[in-house]
Amino acid sequence: MCRWAAYTGAPIFVEEIVSRPGHSLIHQSHCATECLSAINADGFGLAWYGEREEPGLYRDVMPAWSDPNLRSLVAQVKSRLFLAHVRASTGTATSRNNCHPFAVGRWTFMHNGQVGGYDAFRRDAEMLIPDALYPQRKGATDSEALFLTALGEGLAADPRGALERAVAKFEALSRQKGDAPHIRLTAALSDGVRLYAVRYATDDQAPSLYHRWSPTRAGRAVVSEPLESGECWEQVPQGSFCTFDAEAVEIVPFCPAALAVAA
């Protein structure tokens, strides 16, 4: 499984999350501690918001620890909201188009987890993407297909509801044609104003997810694994959808299972 980190708050240099902490995201790319594989070497990506509505995006297929350009970039870029991801492929090719985060317009999305038996219903999943959004289908991952499906479900107007409906459709397909575990999911997404995150699984093994407000930074980090030992991190409960808006946090139930059964 992959590892990711996101931040929202007062502008900081991206390195304060991605490369400088003792258990930074780059460190997690080769020494992850809360997933099956300690190595996440199938590419990386970074999306950040600045003065323009649409985000900057940098992705590559190299392991995050071996790219000096990434370290140089995060040391110079300052952002109030960004998403960063290191990838461990669950079967699709190691290519730039398959690296997270994905971006469409002002929206960004990244995912950690799996959709059980996705290869058996890939064509069905592709059919969930509306025609108007299909030109944005650049790669082959279940994650990108889920993102585009959620956009088609009305992500801009109703982030929680749209993602819940999209996950429910993927879960229903997995139950019909795929394998268990049907869904294991943490994801972060943003419209450049607020940061959203979700933690969900059809079993009791949802990937790890934590958040922490830093008074010194005046910002909040949302991460797969805590960035430093000895700090107080709050775990996001399984089955939750989170909205982070500066210091404010809203955590509500995320329940696609009922929709999936109905489908």
Side-chain angles (χ1 to χ4, degrees):
M1 289 190 179
C2 312
R3 302 282 83 181
W4 59 257
Y7 172 85
T8 181
I12 63 170
F13 288 108
V14 178
E15 68 176 359
E16 293 187 38
I17 302 296
V18 171
S19 64
R20 288 185 62 187
H23 195 48
S24 69
L25 191 63
I26 288 180
H27 188 260
Q28 291 174 42
S29 70
H30 58 90
C31 292
T33 59
E34 295 194 33
C35 57
L36 293 176
S37 172
I39 307 299
N40 298 275
D42 298 321
F44 66 86
L46 172 68
W48 69 96
Y49 292 90
E51 296 181 6
R52 295 179 173 174
E53 183 177 83
E54 296 188 0
L57 190 64
Y58 177 58
R59 300 182 296 176
D60 211 338
V61 298
M62 297 174 66
W65 70 78
S66 67
D67 185 353
N69 292 323
L70 176 61
R71 289 186 180 273
S72 178
L73 182 70
V74 299
Q76 296 298 326
V77 170
K78 205 170 191 178
S79 176
R80 58 181 171 77
L81 199 164
F82 58 85
L83 291 73
H85 188 278
V86 292
R87 182 172 182 251
S89 173
T90 55
T92 50
T94 301
S95 71
R96 188 175 285 111
N97 284 336
N98 285 339
C99 292
H100 309 221
F102 306 102
V104 176
R106 62 192 175 95
W107 280 93
T108 50
F109 177 89
M110 61 185 179
H111 166 233
N112 170 37
Q114 64 189 87
V115 181
Y118 182 72
D119 284 346
F121 59 88
R122 181 191 299 270
R123 183 175 181 276
D124 302 83
E126 297 271 340
M127 295 296 289
L128 297 174
I129 303 170
D131 289 346
L133 288 167
Y134 201 80
Q136 303 295 331
R137 179 63 160 152
K138 308 296 185 184
T141 63
D142 52 5
S143 307
E144 184 189 45
L146 178 63
F147 175 38
L148 295 173
T149 301
L151 283 169
E153 290 289 333
L155 193 67
D158 179 14
R160 182 194 62 80
L163 188 57
E164 203 169 49
R165 291 187 292 272
V167 171
K169 291 181 177 183
F170 275 64
E171 182 176 330
L173 286 172
S174 179
R175 291 184 183 279
Q176 293 163 14
K177 299 184 176 183
D179 301 310
H182 301 296
I183 301 286
R184 287 179 179 170
L185 162 77
T186 64
L189 55 154
S190 181
D191 58 358
V193 178
R194 294 177 180 87
L195 176 64
Y196 305 96
V198 62
R199 183 177 184 228
Y200 174 75
T202 50
D203 59 10
D204 62 353
Q205 299 295 316
S208 55
L209 188 61
Y210 301 86
H211 68 97
R212 180 178 182 270
W213 173 260
S214 169
T216 56
R217 290 193 184 112
R220 185 175 303 276
V222 186
V223 299
S224 295
E225 299 184 13
L227 301 177
E228 297 281 7
S229 60
E231 292 180 337
C232 182
W233 290 82
E234 297 182 53
Q235 187 172 53
V236 173
Q238 181 164 321
S240 296
F241 184 90
C242 311
T243 302
F244 302 106
D245 188 0
E247 194 170 356
V249 179
E250 181 185 41
I251 300 178
V252 298
F254 184 80
C255 305
L259 300 175
V261 171

